Amino acid sequence: MRAARLSVFSLLMVLTAGLLFVVSGAPLFRFSPFESPLVNRMLNYQLSALPVAGLALLLTFAFAGRIRLGYLNLRRTGPMRPLVGRSGGGRWESDAWVLGLIMTAVVGVATFVQVHPAGFTFHWAYVALVVPFAAMNAFTEEAVFRLPYVTMGDDHTGSRVYGLAMGSLVFGVSHFWGVAPNGLVGAVMSAFLGFVLAKSIQETTGFFWAFSLHFMLNLAGMLLILNRTP
C-alpha cells in the first residue's frame, strides 16, 4: 500500500513539475510593463509558476500523512553529513554559507559562459528585479522539486534515498531544457545542486537552507540573464 501510494505521488509530482514548462510557454499572465521582452516573460513566468508551487504543497500535505508540511519552516541547524563516507562533515548553521558561495560562483561562471556571446547591457530596473525574481523562483522550485520528495521519503520510506534521488534527478532533467546553465552540463550541475539542497532539508528538517542557497544561486544567474543584450 505504501509503495503504491509513493508511486502515485511520484507520478503526480513529475506531472506537476511538467506544468512549469506549460506555464513557461503559455503563462497565466500577460503583463508587459518593461521594454525588455525577456524581462516581461520572466515576470509572467514567475507569477504563473506560483500556483504550480501551491499545487505541489497541496499534494504533499494530502499524501504525507505524518509530516505533511512540517518541513516548511525556517529551521537551519543540524549536522552536515559528508557527501562520501561517514567521517568528517560539519554543521549547516556554520558551514552552509561557505558552501553556498562556492556553488554560486560555479553557477555564475557557467551561466556567464553560456550567455556572454550576446553581451550585457545592465539596466538599474532589471538589476533590482533580480532579487524578487530570484526569491520567487527559489521558493517555487524548492516547493516543486525538493520539499515534496524529501517529505514523502521521510514519511513513507524511512530512508534518505528516495528524497535525495528524486530531489536531484527530476531537477537535473528539467534543467536540461532550462534557460542557463542548460544542456548536459546544466543538467549535471543542477542534479548535484538538487542533491545538496535535498540533503539540507533532510538534515535540518527545515526549508531555510534549501531556499537560501537556491536564492543565492538565482541571484548570480538572473543578474546575467536579465541583463544580457537582446
Side-chain angles (χ1 to χ4, degrees):
M1 183 65 180
R2 281 178 174 261
R5 188 178 179 87
L6 192 64
S7 298
V8 171
F9 176 79
S10 301
L11 175 60
L12 290 176
M13 286 309 308
V14 170
L15 293 175
T16 300
L19 290 177
L20 293 177
F21 289 95
V22 174
V23 298
S24 176
L28 302 176
F29 305 96
R30 300 286 182 177
F31 300 124
S32 54
F34 304 107
E35 292 182 3
S36 169
L38 175 63
V39 175
N40 288 329
R41 285 199 302 273
M42 181 67 75
L43 170 65
N44 290 318
Y45 166 72
Q46 296 299 340
L47 292 174
S48 300
L50 289 175
V52 180
L55 175 61
L57 295 177
L58 181 62
L59 288 171
T60 304
F61 182 85
F63 276 80
R66 179 172 56 87
I67 299 176
R68 296 197 185 275
L69 297 179
Y71 290 173
L72 189 62
N73 62 69
L74 297 180
R75 192 175 297 116
R76 65 189 193 92
T77 61
M80 183 184 289
R81 299 179 182 178
L83 295 177
V84 179
R86 295 180 179 273
S87 62
R91 299 286 305 179
W92 281 99
E93 61 269 28
S94 59
D95 301 325
W97 291 121
V98 175
L99 178 63
L101 289 173
I102 294 172
M103 293 194 304
T104 299
V106 172
V107 169
V109 169
T111 305
F112 178 82
V113 168
Q114 288 198 345
V115 304
H116 89 278
F120 301 98
T121 305
F122 289 94
H123 189 290
W124 68 268
Y126 303 160
V127 172
L129 285 171
V130 168
V131 174
F133 284 177
M136 292 166 69
N137 189 73
F139 176 80
T140 294
E141 293 197 344
E142 291 307 310
V144 172
F145 292 108
R146 220 89 53 221
L147 185 70
Y149 295 121
V150 174
T151 300
M152 197 65 175
D154 286 2
D155 190 86
H156 268 56
T157 70
S159 168
R160 304 175 69 230
V161 175
Y162 174 83
L164 292 174
M166 295 297 288
S168 59
L169 291 176
V170 179
F171 190 62
V173 170
S174 70
H175 277 70
F176 184 88
W177 297 278
V179 179
N182 53 27
L184 182 59
V185 172
V188 172
M189 286 179 55
S190 296
F192 176 75
L193 296 174
F195 177 87
V196 173
L197 298 177
K199 187 170 175 289
S200 76
I201 298 177
Q202 280 188 341
E203 295 172 1
T204 64
T205 63
F207 195 70
F208 179 86
W209 289 117
F211 172 81
S212 298
L213 297 180
H214 201 149
F215 174 70
M216 292 171 63
L217 301 173
N218 286 345
L219 287 177
M222 288 189 177
L223 178 64
L224 299 174
I225 292 170
L226 293 182
N227 290 279
R228 65 181 174 183
T229 302

